[in-house]
Amino acid sequence: MTNVTATVRYCDLKEFASSYREIHGHLSILVCVFGSIANILNICVLTTKEMRWPTNFILTGLAIADLLVMLEYIPFASHLYLNPKSRMSADYFTYTWAVYMIFHALFTQVLHFISCCLTVILAIWRYIAITHPQNNKLWYIVSNIRSTVISIVLTYLICPLMCVPLFLSLNVIKRTRVMDERNMLVNPKLQHNFTGTLRNGTLYTAELSGDFINVSFWVYSVVIKLVPCVLLTILSMRLISALLETKKRRRNLLNSTGLPLREKKPKKSKRHLEKEHQTDRTTRMLLAVLLLFLITEFPQAILGLLSVVIGKEFVGQCYTPLGDLMDILALVNSAINFILYCSMSRQFRSAFSEVFRPKLLNRWLPLPARTTETNGGMTQVTQV
């Protein structure tokens, strides 16, 4: 009696992966070029004197990580996707390219993990700022630039250490393949039909191997992906709840005055309400950043966890074919923050105009006056 082991079919994505791969190279380079320019603009605006407050320092650290990822992805995509026929040549599988593939995998993963952690810190900072304004110790932490910079620097230092299992599991593998006189690889199944001269050649590839494969999968799927997503989900729900509570409190305040909502309020009350409106606008913008991050990262976290639990069959059938799609989603998430800032932050738009507006226009179209307010040590510039 012969025992036949049935192969479980989880996904059938080979055709999709092959079709999307044809456009991924050009699309990813386009997104990276746009995202690189956008993140450079973010850094230029967020580091101006009037924008130097803790939340913007975190956004700057996030922009730097995203910028580095995109700059590195451009040569990777150019070599891997723009000339697909080159992958049939033995000259493609050089030792130098295999080493670069390992560098690419580690570099992008470390910086992406840094982005995840900075996004979590951003959510924590904002949650403390709007829910514990009277707690002096907590408020000092989130309003102090020095503590914020220390948190950012520690994130850039600790995240690479958390990715050490990934480094240990990636290795350059040496293989022997049959090729023709032009160094083009020959399919072993078609060798008997080949009439030219064949010879053996050496190829180098970057692959996961060794004793740390399982550990690296757990680190990637749980520590790098799932844990930040769970934390961001909880913090996003808390922030939304805090926004609704603030809106309810404001409505009760307006009702308690006994005046119609559109009637002019006393100067002190009007100023207080304007500060609350500014806080709400900033919180909504940061919520948009968090939710966009979750939309792109949560599917990757789930797929990574399933890959660990189910095994190699799921990786080969589902995770690997979706790799290019997950890459483009992550790149779009890194590139689109500039659009969010411009569309949702009046302060960012004003600072952007001051930095990049031609000086000649300032004589004819002066910018509106700006006032600076200090709230618990956190300096914020408000557009009048």
Side-chain angles (χ1 to χ4, degrees):
M1 180 178 294
T2 303
N3 293 328
V4 179
T5 302
T7 302
V8 180
R9 175 65 64 180
Y10 297 103
C11 306
D12 187 10
L13 298 172
K14 288 185 178 180
E15 184 176 350
F16 167 79
S18 178
S19 300
Y20 175 70
R21 191 182 184 92
E22 296 179 1
I23 65 171
H24 176 73
H26 296 86
L27 182 61
S28 61
I29 291 176
L30 182 64
V31 171
C32 286
V33 171
F34 168 79
S36 298
I37 297 172
N39 279 297
I40 290 173
L41 295 177
N42 286 340
I43 295 169
C44 292
V45 174
L46 293 172
T47 54
T48 56
K49 185 176 180 180
E50 64 271 19
M51 297 290 283
R52 291 176 186 172
W53 41 289
T55 299
N56 287 344
F57 272 90
I58 300 174
L59 293 176
T60 302
L62 188 62
I64 292 173
D66 292 340
L67 173 63
L68 292 175
V69 168
M70 292 189 170
L71 291 177
E72 191 278 334
Y73 200 89
I74 292 175
F76 166 78
S78 300
H79 184 81
L80 188 63
Y81 298 105
L82 296 190
N83 187 12
K85 292 184 179 180
S86 66
R87 292 195 295 273
M88 297 303 298
S89 172
D91 297 332
Y92 177 86
F93 298 93
T94 63
Y95 183 83
T96 302
W97 177 247
V99 172
Y100 176 77
M101 287 292 289
I102 293 178
F103 167 77
H104 164 77
L106 294 173
F107 185 79
T108 54
Q109 204 57 251
V110 167
L111 287 171
H112 194 66
F113 188 34
I114 290 172
S115 296
C116 295
C117 293
L118 289 178
T119 307
V120 172
I121 293 174
L122 179 66
I124 295 173
W125 253 235
R126 196 61 194 171
Y127 178 73
I128 293 175
I130 66 175
T131 58
H132 298 83
Q134 305 303 324
N135 189 319
N136 293 332
K137 291 183 179 180
L138 290 176
W139 181 257
Y140 176 78
I141 293 175
V142 301
S143 64
N144 184 266
I145 291 179
R146 183 173 181 271
S147 61
T148 302
V149 171
I150 290 175
S151 300
I152 296 171
V153 172
L154 288 177
T155 300
Y156 270 84
L157 293 177
I158 294 175
C159 286
L161 298 179
M162 299 294 293
C163 296
V164 167
L166 298 177
F167 172 77
L168 296 176
S169 61
L170 282 168
N171 299 283
V172 175
I173 304 299
K174 182 179 179 181
R175 299 185 183 280
T176 301
R177 285 286 303 273
V178 177
M179 61 187 70
D180 61 17
E181 62 274 6
R182 297 177 302 164
N183 285 346
M184 300 300 292
L185 302 179
V186 178
N187 190 330
K189 296 180 180 179
L190 303 177
Q191 289 183 27
H192 61 281
N193 296 328
F194 195 82
T195 56
T197 302
L198 298 178
R199 64 184 180 86
N200 290 330
T202 301
L203 310 181
Y204 297 92
T205 58
E207 300 178 14
L208 288 169
S209 61
D211 300 329
F212 292 91
I213 293 181
N214 292 332
V215 177
S216 64
F217 266 109
W218 279 105
V219 169
Y220 169 79
S221 60
V222 177
V223 177
I224 296 179
K225 295 293 184 180
L226 192 59
V227 171
C229 286
V230 171
L231 291 175
L232 284 177
T233 301
I234 296 173
L235 289 167
S236 298
M237 293 175 63
R238 295 274 189 173
L239 283 171
I240 292 172
S241 177
L243 268 181
L244 295 175
E245 182 63 28
T246 301
K247 187 176 180 180
K248 181 180 177 180
R249 185 172 64 250
R250 186 183 302 117
R251 187 184 300 112
N252 293 336
L253 177 63
L254 293 174
N255 292 335
S256 66
T257 61
L259 299 173
L261 296 183
R262 294 184 180 180
E263 187 172 331
K264 187 177 180 180
K265 302 293 184 303
K267 185 175 181 180
K268 183 177 179 180
S269 176
K270 184 177 180 180
R271 182 180 179 184
H272 176 75
L273 291 176
E274 173 58 29
K275 289 174 64 177
E276 286 199 350
H277 281 302
Q278 175 62 34
T279 300
D280 289 353
R281 285 194 297 268
T282 303
T283 304
R284 282 195 292 267
M285 182 195 72
L286 299 180
L287 265 176
V289 174
L290 302 184
L291 294 177
L292 180 64
F293 183 89
L294 283 175
I295 291 172
T296 58
E297 293 299 319
F298 231 133
Q300 297 183 44
I302 299 301
L303 286 173
L305 184 61
L306 291 175
S307 298
V308 174
V309 175
I310 297 176
K312 294 182 179 180
E313 291 82 5
F314 185 86
V315 174
Q317 297 177 23
C318 304
Y319 189 87
T320 301
L322 292 175
D324 291 340
L325 180 63
M326 290 188 290
D327 279 355
I328 196 64
L329 289 176
L331 292 173
V332 170
N333 176 44
S334 300
I336 206 172
N337 284 342
F338 175 77
I339 298 176
L340 291 178
Y341 301 159
C342 285
S343 61
M344 302 185 69
S345 174
R346 187 169 58 184
Q347 294 178 8
F348 186 89
R349 291 195 300 270
S350 178
F352 180 85
S353 298
E354 291 183 358
V355 174
F356 296 102
R357 185 183 174 105
K359 294 183 178 180
L360 184 62
L361 288 179
N362 291 336
R363 297 182 180 180
W364 304 99
L365 298 172
L367 291 170
R370 295 160 64 87
T371 60
T372 303
E373 296 179 0
T374 302
N375 187 2
M378 180 180 291
T379 302
Q380 300 185 3
V381 181
T382 305
Q383 184 73 39
V384 177

